[in-house]
Amino acid sequence: MKKSLIAFAAICCLFTACKKSDSGGSSLSGTAALTNGKWKLTAATTSITVPGIPTQNMDIYGSMQACEKDNLLTFNANNTVTMDEGATKCDPSDPQTADAGTWTLSADNKTLTATATSGGSDVATLDGNTLALQTTTSAGGGTSTVKYTYSHP
């Protein structure tokens, strides 16, 4: 479970589950979309740019274990986050579900912040089908952009 919580924290910080509605789900937005079911990670990438060096793009998702890829996040209406280990657990002794902190979505629906992390993520896409979160950090003249994409299982 500790690995999963660390993964969630990384997703929120560097980076986070909706069930399709009867109308297909895509018409939902903001909090209604975020709290409409479970989210499963479907892609994770990072892009590192340093002046004078070609941009480095990496597929984070491809290097994740299967037991991490099947985890599900639920953003509850009471602003708590629940993580479900999915069909497989990395550590069999971990509980199936765990409280993973709290969340807030900015009034303009552009920033998602979770207490399990030290900051927020920019919301690139949030509708009834897709949650894409992105965080860009700068240091030493370079930038790193991490993007996580979730969809309904």
Side-chain angles (χ1 to χ4, degrees), residues 61-118:
Y61 186 80
S63 66
M64 292 174 65
Q65 298 178 49
C67 61
E68 296 170 315
K69 291 179 181 179
D70 71 352
N71 293 352
L72 303 170
L73 293 177
T74 302
F75 294 87
N76 302 302
N78 67 355
N79 292 87
T80 62
V81 181
T82 305
M83 188 176 64
D84 185 295
E85 286 286 337
T88 58
K89 295 180 185 181
C90 294
D91 182 343
S93 66
D94 287 341
Q96 186 63 40
T97 59
D99 183 10
T102 60
W103 65 269
T104 57
L105 184 63
S106 63
D108 63 3
N109 299 326
K110 293 184 179 182
T111 304
L112 178 65
T113 304
T115 58
T117 69
S118 60

Side-chain angles (χ1 to χ4, degrees), residues 27-52:
S27 65
L28 295 175
S29 64
T31 299
L34 189 64
T35 59
N36 189 34
K38 297 179 181 187
W39 294 105
K40 181 179 177 183
L41 185 66
T42 56
T45 60
T46 188
S47 175
I48 300 170
T49 304
V50 177

